[in-house]
Amino acid sequence: MKNNQKILIVGGVAGGASAAARLRRLDEHAEIVMFERGEYISFANCGLPYYIGGEIKEKAALTLQTPASFHARFRVDVRTFSEVTSIDATNKTVTVKNVKTGEAYTESYDKLILSTGAEPIKPNLGAEDSARVFTLRNIPDTYRIKEFIEQNNPKRAVVVGGGYIGVEMAENLHSAGLDVTIVEMANQVIAPLDYDMACDVHHHIESKGVKLLLGTAVKSITDNGSSLQIAYEGGEINTDMLIMAIGVKPESALAKNAGLALNERGFIVVNENMLTSNLDIYAVGDAVEVTDFVTGQKAAIPLAGPANKQGRIAADNICGIDSRYTGTQGSAILKVFDMTVATTGINEKTAKRLGMKYDKSFTYSASHASYYPGSVNMSIKIIFEPNTGKLLGAQVVGYDGVDKRCDVLATAIRAGMTAYDLTRLELCYAPPYSSAKDPVNMAGYVIENILTGKVKNFHWHDVKDLPRDGSVTLLDTRTTIEFENGSIDGFINIPLDSLRSRIHQLDKSKPVYVTCQVALRGYIAARILMQNGFDVYNLSGGYRLYHSIFSNRTAPKNPVVLNPETQRAEKKVTTLKIDACGLQCPGPIVKLCGALKQASPGDVIEISTTDPAFASDIQGYCRRTGNLFQGMTSNKGVSTVLIEKASEDAQNSCNVDNKNNKNLIVFSGDLDKAIASFIIANAAAAMGRKVSMFFTFWGLNILRKPERVSVKKDFMSTMFGRMMPRGSKKLSLSKMNMSGMGAKMIRGVMKNKNVDSLEDLIKLAQSNGVELVACSMSMDVMGIKPEELIDGVKLGGAAAMLANAEESDMSLFI
């Protein structure tokens, strides 16, 4: 090791500060100078959004070290407001400019470390210099955003970009009291996730009140003085402020001008010692090209953890220690309100793009023992080699315990482990922390079953291609209640516990495609059928995954928030608390029914559940039973519902036969039948009856807006939309349509006879309080999005329709 060598470091955050500290620990006598263009060094880059949102209260908490404290501890000459403008690699000097005074000078070096980082991408969309447009990369950016909010009191904010920074900023702007919209060009947020795993995140973000515009590219931004106008294909949005968070690019101009090798994307090329193409210059952090640990491909993965490791490695090599960077596997984690998203290794998109042979598994496991309070399921997707079971990547979405499961999987990938190894891991267990079979173990067991041929899977994207002509058997093994609350088109229901006694109803000559809620009961059914001579495939991830992907994203417009303390102050009640977390439908409803039987009139049942079906159907249940729904809150995937037990008379009144509500199920999309439906509905409403109209399949076309609505759809949904009539004015007659002439004649006759048109009947029905409900499952099948329906239409499922039917003395199917 050369004594008294002079080492210059360009950049004082993450990699640069880490390198400086490591250098001093290894060489007490070296002269170390660190240049930072800005005012701050070693600041908490990843914590910046949380200061804006108020989670971090003090400015001082963002700076881990000051120039003075860093010098006091490490004797490093820290020069802030000092920009290195050029490198003379031949003479081994750099030119430094004082950004305050403009004064320039040269500084010599023996070794040089570049930690120049990356800068936000700022596309030329207009309004780049507007005081309402921001990026977030450093502490001054943070202060500008915070001060703008405090001084201008904006009401609306748009975040362009749905990556880590974009989602974090959306959450924190929402916490600061703004109405927030995320605009993302891709069809999903958080690119390291696959689309199927991102769907849960989409639902969660919207449930918190943040709007998502996915598959939407911004065309232009205009500052009109009082607000910003953001134009995109198909529409525009106005906002008081905008955060540009579409990604970063390497700050590598200094390296380029010095003659250092760059790749085609402008990242600095380094070897495993972090050495550039110049033997005296090292580079670390977001500006360098790295090797993907899993694929061996060159990549750019800007993360704080790798940057710190690289700074340490560069310092080691300068001091004579052969230290090597073995690649980046992209382990990352993100807080999305009370949800946690974590990834490591490659995703399915990457495996496809590189033409890799892979398979995948989906599991849903409880964060800890389901019988211990607070258990919540997490979703785990693993990419693995189909022959060896070697782990290639993992994605985990959930609440408590997500971080440690992804960390275990990240360690397993780094160690080259297989799914078989996951089954052998001995992980810590106690009911508050895990289950005897940890979620990581369970993921290993599922993959092991695939690898050993105990089960054959099919996936959510295969469902649309399954024949519905009777040549295969499509079997749903959930309970009848679960099946009636929502199912996949074409599947028949035989509950798992009835399968053995009804197995004779199935044809062994036909392949069987099985589903259940999360694929566990489907696996058991598959084992039963396979051992009885059937060719069976189990839906990986089950109906839960399928529904998450294809269900409409609808955030509650007026979420009911309960206030138990206020209620208790107004009325003394006995509260019975039930923990139904971890139970799937119908478990929570069974527990609730049992508690209601034991309760006295006026008692309040407080039930906590992680089952989304229960949370969505509880109000209908209360209407059917006469019990009083008092409200619901949700936190970290747990819905807490308050239900007051009604008197026996109130319950009986819900079950007597003199109910006079009217329930119409509109299946047809024919003009004449639509007119008849609304005439009946308006007549019933005029008589003071409560009327509900449930539109399903072709009937949905009656509710479509006449104009084209710009929404993102897959190919099949787009084709459906083009072939189906758009709105009531395009409907045809069931008889004598005559290429549309019949419909025109009917409309003409109605006008001459002073009979309201269908469009007027629809408006009259809405003004009379008729409830228009669109079947969400049918919308998924038909490829119709909520944005395409006329205003005032609610979304509902079979449970909502059945609840209305039970409260009616007439159900009419049209």
Side-chain angles (χ1 to χ4, degrees):
M1 180 177 69
K2 181 181 177 181
N3 290 326
N4 301 322
Q5 59 182 332
K6 185 176 181 181
I7 306 156
L8 304 186
I9 302 171
V10 182
V13 187
S18 178
R22 178 66 170 175
L23 282 167
R24 179 57 74 216
R25 289 194 296 268
L26 294 176
D27 186 351
E28 182 64 18
H29 304 290
E31 181 181 356
I32 307 170
V33 183
M34 184 164 67
F35 301 100
E36 171 54 46
R37 181 172 51 194
E39 179 181 357
Y40 304 94
I41 65 163
S42 192
F43 58 84
N45 205 311
C46 298
L48 300 181
Y50 300 101
Y51 175 72
I52 295 169
E55 192 74 17
I56 297 174
K57 305 295 184 184
E58 302 296 331
K59 287 184 176 181
L62 297 175
T63 51
L64 306 177
Q65 292 276 3
T66 65
S69 67
F70 204 82
H71 181 268
R73 176 158 298 180
F74 297 109
R75 288 297 185 268
V76 171
D77 182 1
V78 179
R79 303 180 191 178
T80 56
F81 298 113
S82 298
E83 180 181 6
V84 175
T85 57
S86 66
I87 302 169
D88 183 344
T90 303
N91 296 307
K92 298 176 66 172
T93 63
V94 300
T95 300
V96 185
K97 182 180 75 172
N98 185 311
V99 298
K100 285 186 171 181
T101 66
E103 178 188 358
Y105 63 94
T106 60
E107 196 78 44
S108 63
Y109 65 84
D110 294 311
K111 299 292 182 183
L112 177 64
I113 300 176
L114 301 180
S115 182
T116 49
E119 61 179 335
I121 296 172
K122 300 176 183 178
N124 185 20
L125 297 171
E128 287 83 7
D129 298 327
S130 170
R132 298 177 179 274
V133 178
F134 303 89
T135 58
L136 180 64
R137 188 64 180 171
N138 53 39
I139 288 181
D141 291 342
T142 308
Y143 292 166
R144 280 193 291 271
I145 295 171
K146 183 81 166 177
E147 289 167 3
F148 181 86
I149 294 172
E150 292 174 346
Q151 295 172 9
N152 296 276
N153 193 29
K155 304 299 182 185
R156 303 161 298 176
V158 167
V159 178
V160 179
Y164 289 103
I165 292 294
V167 171
E168 287 176 341
M169 279 304 304
E171 174 187 344
N172 283 280
L173 289 170
H174 181 271
S175 298
L178 282 77
D179 182 9
V180 183
T181 300
I182 296 175
V183 181
E184 168 55 52
M185 185 166 61
N187 67 342
Q188 65 167 87
V189 299
I190 312 173
L193 287 178
D194 287 317
Y195 177 77
D196 40 32
M197 293 295 284
C199 286
D200 273 352
V201 185
H202 298 160
H203 288 287
H204 189 71
I205 289 173
E206 292 190 320
S207 76
K208 297 299 183 180
V210 172
K211 303 178 187 69
L212 286 179
L213 287 177
L214 301 177
T216 302
V218 174
K219 300 297 183 184
S220 66
I221 303 169
T222 304
D223 189 338
N224 58 26
S226 59
S227 65
L228 295 172
Q229 184 181 67
I230 302 170
Y232 57 89
E233 186 175 348
E236 62 182 35
I237 183 172
N238 291 309
T239 185
D240 301 314
M241 63 182 298
L242 179 146
I243 308 294
M244 191 65 69
I246 62 175
V248 296
K249 60 182 180 181
E251 289 205 56
S252 56
L254 190 63
K256 179 180 180 181
N257 293 335
L260 302 183
L262 308 183
N263 68 11
E264 65 280 359
R265 296 176 58 194
F267 289 87
I268 304 170
V269 176
V270 295
N271 67 10
E272 58 189 358
N273 303 121
M274 307 312 301
L275 187 64
T276 69
S277 56
N278 185 290
L279 296 179
D280 294 311
I281 303 177
Y282 293 78
V284 302
D286 294 354
V288 306
E289 177 186 74
V290 298
T291 299
D292 187 299
F293 176 79
V294 175
T295 67
Q297 301 284 320
K298 295 300 181 181
I301 307 175
L303 293 169
N308 279 277
K309 292 179 180 67
Q310 292 161 10
R312 179 186 177 97
I313 289 168
D316 282 353
N317 283 281
I318 289 173
C319 294
I321 300 172
D322 184 15
S323 184
R324 305 186 181 195
Y325 188 66
T326 57
T328 302
Q329 69 188 69
S331 298
I333 194 165
L334 175 68
K335 174 182 177 291
V336 185
F337 293 95
D338 49 348
M339 175 180 272
T340 303
V341 176
T343 66
T344 186
I346 65 168
N347 55 27
E348 186 177 0
K349 290 177 288 192
T350 300
K352 280 184 177 179
R353 176 172 55 82
L354 297 178
M356 300 173 65
K357 291 183 178 180
Y358 73 94
D359 203 346
K360 57 187 174 184
S361 70
F362 298 89
T363 53
Y364 298 95
S365 302
S367 56
H368 58 248
S370 58
Y371 57 82
Y372 188 87
S375 171
V376 184
N377 281 2
M378 67 181 72
S379 308
I380 300 178
K381 178 178 182 178
I382 293 182
I383 309 299
F384 59 94
E385 288 184 351
N387 296 326
T388 65
K390 182 181 178 181
L391 305 173
L392 302 175
Q395 302 161 49
V396 190
V397 176
Y399 301 91
D400 291 338
V402 165
D403 52 344
K404 71 176 182 179
R405 272 54 184 234
C406 196
D407 282 341
V408 171
L409 291 166
T411 304
I413 291 171
R414 180 63 65 162
M417 296 171 68
T418 70
Y420 299 107
D421 295 314
L422 296 186
T423 69
R424 304 180 189 114
L425 290 179
E426 187 175 336
L427 303 173
C428 296
Y429 161 61
Y433 303 104
S434 185
S435 300
K437 294 178 182 176
D438 188 86
V440 172
N441 298 134
M442 289 302 299
Y445 292 133
V446 168
I447 299 173
E448 180 186 53
N449 287 334
I450 297 170
L451 295 172
T452 57
K454 293 182 179 65
V455 68
K456 293 185 290 186
N457 281 345
F458 69 109
H459 297 286
W460 60 267
H461 46 76
D462 300 321
V463 172
K464 66 180 185 303
D465 297 323
L466 294 177
R468 266 71 172 181
D469 57 3
S471 60
V472 300
T473 300
L474 307 179
L475 179 63
D476 189 321
T477 61
R478 296 175 297 158
T479 64
T480 302
I481 294 176
E482 289 175 284
F483 184 79
E484 290 177 348
N485 278 342
S487 62
I488 302 174
D489 177 48
F491 278 68
I492 63 171
N493 181 222
I494 299 180
L496 175 62
D497 294 340
S498 305
L499 182 58
R500 289 183 178 88
S501 63
R502 296 175 61 182
I503 199 169
H504 63 278
Q505 299 176 11
L506 304 178
D507 186 345
K508 285 186 181 181
S509 67
K510 298 178 181 179
V512 181
Y513 291 85
V514 180
T515 188
C516 66
Q517 188 67 15
V518 297
L520 177 57
R521 283 172 287 175
Y523 167 65
I524 297 171
R527 293 303 302 154
I528 293 171
L529 293 170
M530 287 174 70
Q531 294 177 80
N532 280 277
F534 288 84
D535 181 21
V536 190
Y537 300 82
N538 186 29
L539 178 60
S540 182
Y543 180 77
R544 187 225 178 276
L545 176 64
Y546 182 88
H547 183 67
S548 172
I549 295 168
F550 292 105
S551 64
N552 295 305
R553 303 195 321 269
T554 53
K557 294 181 180 178
N558 296 298
V560 181
V561 179
L562 52 84
N563 189 338
E565 297 306 320
T566 301
Q567 293 171 350
R568 285 164 177 72
E570 295 174 350
K571 176 181 179 181
K572 290 187 177 181
V573 297
T574 299
T575 301
L576 307 176
K577 294 188 176 182
I578 301 173
D579 184 359
C581 293
L583 298 179
Q584 299 293 332
C585 180
I589 204 71
V590 171
K591 275 203 164 191
L592 175 61
C593 291
L596 286 169
K597 289 179 181 178
Q598 298 178 6
S600 301
D603 289 349
V604 172
I605 311 298
E606 180 182 302
I607 181 168
S608 300
T609 175
T610 54
D611 177 28
F614 177 87
S616 62
D617 290 343
I618 185 60
Q619 294 188 56
Y621 170 84
C622 289
R623 294 201 309 270
R624 294 195 304 272
T625 60
N627 297 293
L628 305 179
F629 174 77
Q630 291 192 343
M632 176 172 62
T633 56
S634 180
N635 183 48
K636 290 191 174 182
V638 178
S639 297
T640 302
V641 182
L642 293 184
I643 300 161
E644 180 181 336
K645 181 171 180 177
S647 65
E648 296 296 329
D649 290 340
Q651 293 183 56
N652 290 336
S653 69
C654 281
N655 296 305
V656 295
D657 294 329
N658 61 356
K659 302 171 193 158
N660 55 15
N661 295 346
K662 309 301 178 187
N663 185 45
L664 280 70
I665 301 143
V666 185
F667 176 86
S668 172
D670 295 326
L671 174 63
D672 44 334
K673 296 175 183 177
I675 293 170
S677 299
F678 278 95
I679 289 174
I680 295 170
N682 281 311
M687 295 172 64
R689 307 295 190 253
K690 180 179 180 295
V691 182
S692 176
M693 301 180 73
F694 185 78
F695 294 81
T696 183
F697 284 95
W698 310 114
L700 291 168
N701 292 316
I702 302 170
L703 303 181
R704 293 182 73 189
K705 293 177 180 176
E707 68 273 10
R708 184 180 181 276
V709 178
S710 179
V711 290
K712 190 73 173 180
K713 294 185 179 183
D714 57 31
F715 174 77
M716 191 59 69
S717 297
T718 301
M719 294 305 297
F720 257 115
R722 290 176 179 174
M723 291 187 291
M724 292 187 301
R726 184 183 292 122
S728 56
K729 292 184 178 180
K730 299 292 184 180
L731 302 181
S732 59
L733 288 178
S734 60
K735 305 289 185 183
M736 298 189 301
N737 186 54
M738 298 180 292
S739 300
M741 287 301 299
K744 290 181 180 179
M745 292 171 62
I746 283 288
R747 287 181 177 274
V749 170
M750 291 175 65
K751 184 176 181 180
N752 293 333
K753 300 289 185 181
N754 291 321
V755 178
D756 287 338
S757 68
L758 173 57
E759 293 70 40
D760 290 335
L761 288 171
I762 294 173
K763 291 178 182 178
L764 180 63
Q766 290 182 300
S767 66
N768 286 336
V770 174
E771 182 181 55
L772 307 184
V773 182
C775 176
S776 55
M777 183 276 292
S778 298
M779 290 176 64
D780 289 340
V781 174
M782 307 291 282
I784 297 175
K785 302 293 185 181
E787 298 90 337
E788 297 180 90
L789 301 182
I790 61 176
D791 294 337
V793 176
K794 299 179 180 179
L795 303 186
M801 183 273 292
L802 291 171
N804 289 324
E806 291 185 8
E807 297 165 3
S808 304
D809 63 353
M810 180 192 79
S811 284
L812 186 61
F813 187 90
I814 300 176

